[in-house]
Amino acid sequence: KIENGIIIVVPSSTTVDFTGSNYGFGALMKEDGATGTITLSGGGTIDIADLTKGTIYELSPSKVVVSNTKDVYVLKRQQ
């Protein structure tokens, strides 16, 4: 779900690819208890459970997979 063209909410049990029209997102924040994985555009993955809720992480995701009932918010970078 895109809100105002600057934030994508990745809802529970959803996968979002950050290519094409979703290119340019470069930060994210998770809800308390969110789990899943973040695949980085430069390679590698991060376990969402290892991130601290409410902290904004400057990462360049190519894909975000949320595997439980919580949300992850992905923010577009100002160019």
Side-chain angles (χ1 to χ4, degrees):
K1 174 181 166 185
I2 298 176
E3 296 180 6
N4 300 326
I6 59 169
I7 186 170
I8 290 181
V9 179
V10 182
S12 63
S13 302
T14 302
T15 299
V16 175
D17 291 306
F18 290 89
T19 57
S21 64
N22 285 341
Y23 180 78
F25 285 80
L28 56 90
M29 180 176 65
K30 75 166 199 163
E31 283 187 345
D32 189 28
T35 61
T37 58
I38 302 160
T39 302
L40 302 174
S41 60
T45 59
I46 294 175
D47 187 336
I48 293 171
D50 292 338
L51 303 178
T52 302
K53 73 169 181 137
T55 300
I56 296 176
Y57 293 90
E58 292 193 37
L59 303 169
S60 180
S62 62
K63 179 169 57 174
V64 174
V65 179
V66 177
S67 58
N68 66 351
T69 60
K70 303 295 182 173
D71 295 338
V72 173
Y73 305 92
V74 187
L75 311 171
K76 189 152 195 155
R77 293 186 58 90
Q78 185 80 350
Q79 298 296 330

